[in-house]
Protein backbone atom coordinates (compact mmCIF):
# COMPACT_ATOMS: atom_id res chain seq x y z
CA UNK A 1 0.00 0.00 0.00
CA UNK A 2 1.56 3.29 -1.13
CA UNK A 3 -0.59 5.61 0.98
CA UNK A 4 0.35 5.45 4.69
CA UNK A 5 -3.15 6.71 5.52
CA UNK A 6 -4.47 3.21 4.76
CA UNK A 7 -3.81 0.15 6.86
CA UNK A 8 -3.50 -3.59 6.49
CA UNK A 9 -6.74 -5.33 5.51
CA UNK A 10 -8.03 -2.71 3.06
CA UNK A 11 -8.77 -5.25 0.31
CA UNK A 12 -10.55 -7.58 2.74
CA UNK A 13 -12.61 -4.67 4.01
CA UNK A 14 -13.62 -3.72 0.45
CA UNK A 15 -14.61 -7.33 -0.23
CA UNK A 16 -16.88 -7.34 2.82
CA UNK A 17 -18.51 -4.08 1.74
CA UNK A 18 -19.16 -5.64 -1.68
CA UNK A 19 -20.97 -8.49 0.08
CA UNK A 20 -22.93 -6.02 2.21
CA UNK A 21 -24.12 -4.10 -0.87
CA UNK A 22 -25.23 -7.39 -2.45
CA UNK A 23 -27.10 -8.38 0.72
CA UNK A 24 -28.86 -5.00 0.65
CA UNK A 25 -30.20 -5.89 -2.81
CA UNK A 26 -27.83 -3.80 -4.92
CA UNK A 27 -26.09 -4.71 -8.16
CA UNK A 28 -22.41 -4.20 -7.33
CA UNK A 29 -21.47 -4.42 -10.99
CA UNK A 30 -23.44 -1.33 -12.03
CA UNK A 31 -21.36 1.71 -12.95
CA UNK A 32 -22.13 3.79 -9.87
CA UNK A 33 -21.21 1.02 -7.43
CA UNK A 34 -18.20 -0.70 -9.04
CA UNK A 35 -15.68 1.35 -7.04
CA UNK A 36 -17.89 1.92 -3.98
CA UNK A 37 -16.62 -1.02 -1.85
CA UNK A 38 -13.03 0.25 -2.02
CA UNK A 39 -14.12 3.86 -1.49
CA UNK A 40 -16.05 2.87 1.65
CA UNK A 41 -13.18 0.71 2.91
CA UNK A 42 -10.78 3.65 2.54
CA UNK A 43 -13.26 6.03 4.18
CA UNK A 44 -13.73 3.70 7.14
CA UNK A 45 -9.99 3.37 7.65
CA UNK A 46 -9.69 7.17 7.68
CA UNK A 47 -12.65 7.51 10.07
CA UNK A 48 -11.07 4.98 12.45
CA UNK A 49 -7.43 6.11 12.13
CA UNK A 50 -7.39 6.89 15.86
CA UNK A 51 -6.73 3.21 16.63
CA UNK A 52 -3.20 3.56 15.23
CA UNK A 53 -2.34 6.86 16.94
CA UNK A 54 -1.05 7.51 20.46
CA UNK A 55 -2.69 10.57 22.06
CA UNK A 56 -0.28 10.61 25.03
CA UNK A 57 2.70 10.81 22.67
CA UNK A 58 1.05 13.75 20.89
CA UNK A 59 0.93 15.64 24.20
CA UNK A 60 4.47 14.76 25.31
CA UNK A 61 5.96 15.66 21.91
CA UNK A 62 5.16 19.31 22.68
CA UNK A 63 5.67 19.51 26.45
CA UNK A 64 7.15 22.72 27.85
CA UNK A 65 8.15 23.68 31.38
CA UNK A 66 6.14 26.77 32.37
CA UNK A 67 5.10 28.32 35.68
CA UNK A 68 1.66 29.36 34.36
CA UNK A 69 -1.00 27.89 36.66
CA UNK A 70 -4.24 29.48 35.47
CA UNK A 71 -6.90 27.89 33.31
CA UNK A 72 -6.06 27.09 29.68
CA UNK A 73 -9.19 26.63 27.58
CA UNK A 74 -9.38 25.32 24.02
CA UNK A 75 -13.00 25.57 22.97
CA UNK A 76 -15.11 24.88 19.89
CA UNK A 77 -12.93 22.00 18.71
CA UNK A 78 -14.79 20.44 15.78
CA UNK A 79 -15.49 16.79 16.45
CA UNK A 80 -16.66 13.99 14.14
CA UNK A 81 -17.01 10.40 15.31
CA UNK A 82 -18.88 7.16 14.66
CA UNK A 83 -21.35 5.78 17.18
CA UNK A 84 -20.35 2.22 17.99
CA UNK A 85 -23.98 1.07 18.22
CA UNK A 86 -25.04 1.85 14.63
CA UNK A 87 -21.78 3.08 13.05
CA UNK A 88 -23.52 6.32 12.15
CA UNK A 89 -21.82 9.69 12.65
CA UNK A 90 -22.14 12.01 15.59
CA UNK A 91 -20.63 15.46 15.39
CA UNK A 92 -20.30 18.65 17.38
CA UNK A 93 -17.85 20.60 19.51
CA UNK A 94 -15.47 19.71 22.30
CA UNK A 95 -14.38 22.24 24.93
CA UNK A 96 -11.29 21.34 26.95
CA UNK A 97 -9.65 23.09 29.89
CA UNK A 98 -6.71 22.26 32.08
CA UNK A 99 -4.80 24.06 34.83
CA UNK A 100 -1.06 23.49 34.34
CA UNK A 101 1.12 22.15 37.12
CA UNK A 102 4.60 23.10 35.92
CA UNK A 103 4.14 21.97 32.31
CA UNK A 104 2.04 23.07 29.35
CA UNK A 105 1.49 21.43 25.98
CA UNK A 106 1.05 22.93 22.52
CA UNK A 107 -2.50 24.20 22.09
CA UNK A 108 -3.00 22.29 18.85
CA UNK A 109 -2.12 19.08 20.70
CA UNK A 110 -5.32 19.33 22.75
CA UNK A 111 -7.31 19.37 19.51
CA UNK A 112 -5.26 16.41 18.24
CA UNK A 113 -6.15 14.38 21.34
CA UNK A 114 -9.84 15.05 20.63
CA UNK A 115 -9.28 14.03 17.00
CA UNK A 116 -7.53 10.76 17.87
CA UNK A 117 -10.15 9.53 20.34
CA UNK A 118 -13.03 10.64 18.10
CA UNK A 119 -11.58 8.67 15.16
CA UNK A 120 -12.50 5.39 16.84
CA UNK A 121 -15.88 3.72 17.27
CA UNK A 122 -17.27 5.62 20.25
CA UNK A 123 -20.03 6.57 22.59
CA UNK A 124 -20.00 10.22 23.59
CA UNK A 125 -19.78 9.47 27.29
CA UNK A 126 -16.61 7.38 26.93
CA UNK A 127 -15.07 9.83 24.46
CA UNK A 128 -15.47 12.64 27.00
CA UNK A 129 -13.85 10.52 29.72
CA UNK A 130 -10.97 9.32 27.52
CA UNK A 131 -9.97 12.87 26.57
CA UNK A 132 -9.99 13.95 30.24
CA UNK A 133 -8.05 10.87 31.40
CA UNK A 134 -5.41 11.25 28.69
CA UNK A 135 -4.67 14.88 29.59
CA UNK A 136 -4.75 14.12 33.32
CA UNK A 137 -2.42 11.11 33.09
CA UNK A 138 0.04 12.76 30.68
CA UNK A 139 0.31 16.36 31.91
CA UNK A 140 -0.48 15.77 35.62
CA UNK A 141 -2.24 19.16 35.78
CA UNK A 142 -4.04 20.68 38.75
CA UNK A 143 -7.31 19.86 37.02
CA UNK A 144 -8.96 18.97 33.69
CA UNK A 145 -12.48 19.50 32.39
CA UNK A 146 -14.01 18.34 29.11
CA UNK A 147 -17.46 19.18 27.75
CA UNK A 148 -18.79 17.76 24.48
CA UNK A 149 -21.94 18.95 22.69
CA UNK A 150 -22.98 16.71 19.82
CA UNK A 151 -25.76 15.70 17.47
CA UNK A 152 -26.19 12.00 16.73
CA UNK A 153 -27.28 10.79 13.31
CA UNK A 154 -28.60 7.57 14.91
CA UNK A 155 -31.20 9.79 16.63
CA UNK A 156 -31.79 12.02 13.60
CA UNK A 157 -32.04 9.45 10.80
CA UNK A 158 -33.53 6.42 12.55
CA UNK A 159 -35.35 5.50 15.76
CA UNK A 160 -36.91 8.59 17.35
CA UNK A 161 -35.86 10.85 14.41
CA UNK A 162 -35.34 13.94 16.55
CA UNK A 163 -33.33 16.35 14.40
CA UNK A 164 -32.70 19.14 16.91
CA UNK A 165 -31.67 17.28 20.04
CA UNK A 166 -28.15 17.91 21.35
CA UNK A 167 -26.37 15.62 23.78
CA UNK A 168 -24.05 17.28 26.30
CA UNK A 169 -21.53 15.31 28.34
CA UNK A 170 -18.88 16.48 30.81
CA UNK A 171 -16.06 15.02 32.84
CA UNK A 172 -13.72 16.77 35.24
CA UNK A 173 -11.15 16.22 37.97
CA UNK A 174 -8.86 18.06 40.36
CA UNK A 175 -9.48 21.79 40.70
CA UNK A 176 -12.64 21.44 38.60
CA UNK A 177 -14.26 19.55 41.47
CA UNK A 178 -14.93 23.05 42.82
CA UNK A 179 -18.17 24.51 41.50
CA UNK A 180 -16.60 27.97 41.18
CA UNK A 181 -13.88 26.66 38.84
CA UNK A 182 -16.39 24.74 36.72
CA UNK A 183 -18.53 27.87 36.52
CA UNK A 184 -15.56 29.93 35.30
CA UNK A 185 -14.89 27.33 32.61
CA UNK A 186 -18.52 27.29 31.45
CA UNK A 187 -18.61 31.10 31.33
CA UNK A 188 -15.52 31.09 29.12
CA UNK A 189 -17.01 28.39 26.87
CA UNK A 190 -20.30 30.27 26.54
CA UNK A 191 -18.72 33.69 25.99
CA UNK A 192 -18.64 35.20 22.51
CA UNK A 193 -15.00 36.21 22.87
CA UNK A 194 -14.05 33.96 19.95
CA UNK A 195 -15.97 36.20 17.53
CA UNK A 196 -13.14 38.61 16.75
Amino acid sequence: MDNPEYREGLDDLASHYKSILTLLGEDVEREGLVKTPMRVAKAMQVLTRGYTQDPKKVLTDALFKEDYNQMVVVKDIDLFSLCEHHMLPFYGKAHVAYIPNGYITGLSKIARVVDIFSHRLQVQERLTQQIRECIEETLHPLGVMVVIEAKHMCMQMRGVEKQNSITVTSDFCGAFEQAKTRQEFMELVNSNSHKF
Side-chain angles (χ1 to χ4, degrees):
M1 249 173 297
D2 298 327
N3 192 330
E5 190 172 28
Y6 304 121
R7 313 191 292 277
E8 194 80 25
L10 188 63
D11 291 330
D12 287 343
L13 202 52
S15 174
H16 286 295
Y17 277 116
K18 190 172 183 178
S19 298
I20 288 167
L21 287 169
T22 302
L23 288 168
L24 291 173
E26 268 293 357
D27 172 10
V28 291
E29 301 305 322
R30 71 177 175 86
E31 186 181 5
L33 287 179
V34 170
K35 295 183 180 179
T36 295
M38 182 55 75
R39 285 192 197 106
V40 177
K42 287 179 176 178
M44 288 304 291
Q45 284 204 347
V46 170
L47 294 173
T48 59
R49 66 178 179 250
Y51 289 119
T52 62
Q53 298 171 329
D54 182 352
K56 290 183 178 181
K57 185 177 185 306
V58 165
L59 290 175
T60 56
D61 280 351
L63 201 57
F64 310 102
K65 189 160 180 56
E66 195 63 55
D67 286 335
Y68 186 82
N69 62 357
Q70 300 300 312
M71 197 180 301
V72 177
V73 179
V74 183
K75 67 180 189 174
D76 295 329
I77 302 168
D78 288 322
L79 174 151
F80 302 92
S81 192
L82 288 175
C83 163
E84 69 179 31
H85 298 146
H86 303 98
M87 290 180 65
L88 289 172
F90 66 93
Y91 60 95
K93 303 279 187 187
H95 315 290
V96 180
Y98 76 101
I99 300 173
N101 186 19
Y103 289 90
I104 60 171
T105 190
L107 296 176
S108 67
K109 306 308 178 185
I110 300 293
R112 288 278 295 122
V113 168
V114 172
D115 187 66
I116 289 169
F117 282 117
S118 63
H119 280 79
R120 301 175 182 185
L121 298 183
Q122 281 289 9
V123 294
Q124 184 175 332
E125 297 88 341
R126 184 174 65 238
L127 174 60
T128 308
Q129 186 175 24
Q130 286 177 332
I131 295 166
R132 193 267 304 158
E133 286 175 347
C134 178
I135 295 168
E136 180 187 12
E137 292 169 6
T138 309
L139 300 182
H140 307 290
L142 299 175
V144 184
M145 184 162 179
V146 178
V147 172
I148 293 177
E149 304 170 282
K151 288 190 170 190
H152 292 250
M153 297 301 280
C154 58
M155 284 183 67
Q156 294 178 291
M157 295 177 66
R158 55 161 301 284
V160 294
E161 295 187 22
K162 299 301 179 196
Q163 278 70 40
N164 298 309
S165 64
I166 295 173
T167 301
V168 180
T169 49
S170 70
D171 196 14
F172 51 86
C173 65
F176 289 94
E177 299 282 350
Q178 299 173 34
K180 184 180 176 185
T181 311
R182 290 198 305 277
Q183 183 181 349
E184 180 186 346
F185 170 64
M186 293 310 297
E187 285 172 0
L188 289 168
V189 165
N190 293 322
S191 74
N192 289 325
S193 60
H194 63 291
K195 295 178 181 174
F196 302 117

